[in-house]
Amino acid sequence: MKKNRRMLIVDEDAAQAEFISKIARDHGFEPEHAEDGAAFRDIYTPGTEVIVLDLMLTRVDGIEILRELADLECEAAIIISGDADRRILNAAERLGRARQLRIAGTLPKPVEELLLRRLLDGEVVKPAADSRRINVQVAQTELLQCMEDGCIDVLFQPKVNVRSLEFVSVEALVRLQHPTRGILQPQAFLAMAEESGLINRMTRSVLLKALEQAAEWQKSSLPLDVAVNISPLLLTDLALPEMFSELTSRFNVEPGRVILEITESWLSEDALAALDILTRLRMQGFQLSIDDFGTGYSTMAQLNELPYSEMKLDQTFVRNAAKDREARAIVESSIELGHKLGMKVVAEGVERQEDWDLISELMCDEGQGFFIARPMRSEEVPAWLRHWNTCLGRD
Ligand code: C2E
Ligand code: CA
Ligand code: CA
C-alpha cells in the first residue's frame, strides 16, 4: 500500500480524532490532528489528500472552513463528519460540492468504523483525477476565435415520455471544438462566454443548429421538439423574443416545438425585463422550462408569476431519490407541485433502472438520462431510435 498519504483530521473531540487516526493509518494515511479551526489554518498544506472535517467546531465552524478550502482551491477528498442531523450533513455536502470541492461523503458521529473504512477505500479518496483541468476556462480571445471558425458543436440528448415510452424531444447541449484541447464540455467555456458577453452569439448558433436539425427531422417524419438552454443573463435583452421568432420562422419550425430551458438559479437583477421577455416568448408559443429545479432560488410566488410550461427536476435529486428519503420527498412533492401548477414535469439524470422505476411510479411525465440515452451527434439519433424501438419490441 502506498504510504505517506497526508491526511488532516479537524476535530475538537480528541478521542474521536484518535479513533479516526488509528483506522486511517491502516489505510496507508499519515494523519495529523487539528484540534480546532484555528489549528487547521496552521496545519493545512496543499498536498493533503484527505480531510475529515467535523462540522460542529466551536470557534471557526466547519462551513467556514469549507469556504476557506474552496478559496484555497483545495484538491483533497473531504469527508464531512459531525454529530448533527443528517440533513445538516447533507446540506454541508451539497454546499461543498457547489463550491467545487471534492466531497467524498458524510460520516455521522459517533464514527462508524465500517463506514469510515469504506470512505477511505472509496473512489473519491483515490488520488485526484485531473478534474480541475476540465474546468479551466478557455480565454476570451480563444473562445471568440473558435466561434469565428465555426467550432461550436451541438449534441442531442433524447427525452422520452415515461408512460408511452415515446421519443418526444431532444435537448441541445453545446460543445466547443478546441484546436489543441479537443472537444470541450460546457464547464470549460460557459463561464467565460457569460462573462465576456459571447454567450449571446453562442446561444444563437446553438439555436440555429437545433432548429436546422428539427426541420430536417421533421422532413424525415421524426417530429421532435428541441430544447435549448438559455443563460439567465440573456433575459435582459428585450429584443430576444423577436430574434427567436425570426429564427423559428426562417426554419419553418413552430415555436411550440421549441423548449427554452432556463436555469432556476438566477436572482435576476432585472426581474421586470425577464418577466417581459418570458411572457412575450410564451405568447409566441415557445415552451418555457424551469431547469435544474430544486437547486435554485425560485419562490412559490415566482413559480406562480413566471409563465413556465415545464419543470425540469435537477439530476442531483433524481439520482439520489431511490436511496435517499429526503431526495425522494423533494422529487415527489416537486412533481405534485408542477402538476398542480399545470406544468409538464421532466426528470433529468435518470441513470439506472431504479431511477426510471421511481419516476414512473411518481407519475413524472418525461425522463432524460444515461439510462435512456447519452448525448449524441444528430446523425446518430435515427439509429438510437431504431434501437429504442427494438428494445420495446416496436419495430
Ligand atoms: P443541464 O441543462 O442540466 O444539462 C444536463 C447535463 O447533464 C448535460 O451535461 C448532460 O450531458 C448531463 N447528463 C444527462 N443525463 C445524465 C445522467 O444520466 N447522468 C449524468 N451524470 N449526467 C447526465 P453537459 O452537456 O455537460 O451540460 C452541462 C450544463 O451546461 C447543462 O446542464 C447546461 O446548464 C449547460 N449548457 C449546455 N449547453 C448549453 C447551451 O447551449 N447554452 C447554455 N447557456 N448552457 C448550456
Ligand atoms: Ca438543461
Ligand atoms: Ca441539471
Side-chain angles (χ1 to χ4, degrees):
M1 196 180 293
K2 189 177 152 210
K3 282 275 171 195
N4 304 325
R5 298 176 68 187
R6 286 182 65 93
M7 172 166 171
L8 184 55
I9 301 163
V10 193
D11 202 317
E12 286 174 2
D13 180 337
Q16 284 283 302
E18 184 42 43
F19 179 66
I20 296 171
S21 298
K22 199 161 118 308
I23 294 169
R25 281 191 206 99
D26 284 354
H27 289 255
F29 289 99
E30 225 168 58
E32 276 190 88
H33 176 208
E35 61 276 6
D36 58 25
F40 151 80
R41 289 177 176 144
D42 295 335
I43 298 178
Y44 172 75
T45 55
T48 307
E49 275 191 51
V50 177
I51 299 174
V52 182
L53 172 65
D54 187 352
L55 267 194
M56 311 309 229
L57 302 170
T58 41
R59 276 196 296 155
V60 186
D61 69 49
I63 299 291
E64 286 179 78
I65 293 188
L66 283 177
R67 196 188 315 125
E68 288 178 23
L69 287 170
D71 290 342
L72 292 167
E73 303 202 341
C74 166
E75 296 198 350
I78 300 169
I79 297 171
I80 299 175
S81 75
D83 178 15
D85 183 334
R86 198 156 59 85
R87 294 178 55 199
I88 298 180
L89 294 180
N90 288 347
E93 178 176 4
R94 276 198 296 278
L95 193 62
R97 294 221 163 98
R99 293 197 193 283
Q100 314 288 329
L101 291 165
R102 284 175 65 217
I103 308 290
T106 53
L107 182 68
K109 277 186 160 182
V111 169
E112 232 184 81
E113 179 173 341
L114 256 180
L115 178 57
L116 176 59
R117 287 192 189 279
R118 255 212 320 269
L119 285 169
L120 292 176
D121 276 339
E123 275 303 311
V124 191
V125 174
K126 297 239 169 81
D130 200 0
S131 60
R132 278 188 187 274
R133 209 177 64 86
I134 56 169
N135 284 325
V136 172
Q137 294 289 302
V138 298
Q140 184 177 342
T141 45
E142 276 179 295
L143 186 57
L144 181 60
Q145 190 61 50
C146 286
M147 284 187 184
E148 307 220 306
D149 296 345
C151 293
I152 295 287
D153 221 344
V154 175
L155 296 184
F156 295 92
Q157 188 179 27
K159 291 191 258 177
V160 297
N161 182 301
V162 178
R163 264 161 305 227
S164 69
L165 302 178
E166 200 186 339
F167 176 26
V168 282
S169 61
V170 286
E171 177 177 3
L173 294 161
V174 68
R175 298 291 182 267
L176 189 74
Q177 294 169 20
H178 189 273
T180 55
R181 290 170 62 190
I183 297 193
L184 298 182
Q185 310 282 324
Q187 71 252 44
F189 58 90
L190 262 189
M192 177 52 79
E194 290 187 329
E195 202 177 296
S196 62
L198 286 169
I199 186 74
N200 223 308
R201 211 165 138 183
M202 195 189 86
T203 307
R204 190 184 155 88
S205 90
V206 172
L207 183 60
L208 264 169
K209 284 177 197 269
L211 290 172
E212 193 180 3
Q213 211 38 70
E216 203 170 294
W217 283 322
Q218 202 162 285
K219 270 190 232 142
S220 51
S221 311
L222 187 56
L224 294 172
D225 288 2
V226 285
V228 175
N229 290 285
I230 302 298
S231 161
L233 290 182
L234 295 181
L235 299 182
T236 50
D237 178 2
L238 291 170
L240 201 75
E242 286 68 34
M243 195 257 271
F244 281 12
S245 66
E246 187 264 311
L247 289 180
T248 46
S249 52
R250 191 193 305 174
F251 287 95
N252 203 16
V253 174
E254 292 281 315
R257 304 213 81 115
V258 181
I259 306 156
L260 304 173
E261 296 191 3
I262 301 144
T263 36
E264 190 205 1
S265 56
W266 60 291
L267 273 177
S268 176
E269 280 176 17
D270 194 349
L272 207 56
L275 182 59
D276 177 311
I277 293 165
L278 292 176
T279 308
R280 279 189 294 139
L281 284 167
R282 191 79 192 98
M283 282 162 61
Q284 289 168 356
F286 289 96
Q287 301 183 52
L288 297 182
S289 174
I290 180 163
D291 205 357
D292 296 342
F293 184 78
T295 62
Y297 308 97
S298 55
T299 59
M300 294 294 162
Q302 262 180 333
L303 265 184
N304 194 26
E305 280 161 15
L306 294 170
Y308 290 110
S309 48
E310 177 183 290
M311 172 190 280
K312 210 162 170 195
L313 300 179
D314 192 65
Q315 50 183 279
T316 46
F317 302 113
V318 177
R319 262 203 319 250
N320 290 325
K323 59 174 176 5
D324 175 341
R325 209 159 45 95
E326 284 84 9
R328 183 193 157 112
I330 291 171
V331 169
E332 193 167 353
S333 31
S334 302
I335 293 173
E336 199 184 331
L337 176 65
H339 284 162
K340 286 201 168 137
L341 294 174
M343 291 191 249
K344 180 171 77 186
V345 183
V346 183
E348 68 168 30
V350 179
E351 282 189 357
R352 298 157 308 167
Q353 177 80 49
E354 60 251 50
D355 306 333
W356 173 270
D357 293 344
L358 186 78
I359 61 163
S360 157
E361 180 196 332
L362 298 178
M363 312 286 280
C364 191
D365 302 292
E366 288 175 18
Q368 176 186 18
F370 296 168
F371 182 67
I372 301 153
R374 290 189 173 253
M376 59 186 89
R377 313 193 65 79
S378 58
E379 57 273 21
E380 295 171 306
V381 169
W384 173 79
L385 177 59
R386 278 196 298 280
H387 167 75
W388 177 253
N389 282 333
T390 310
C391 293
L392 300 177
R394 286 183 180 170
D395 46 341

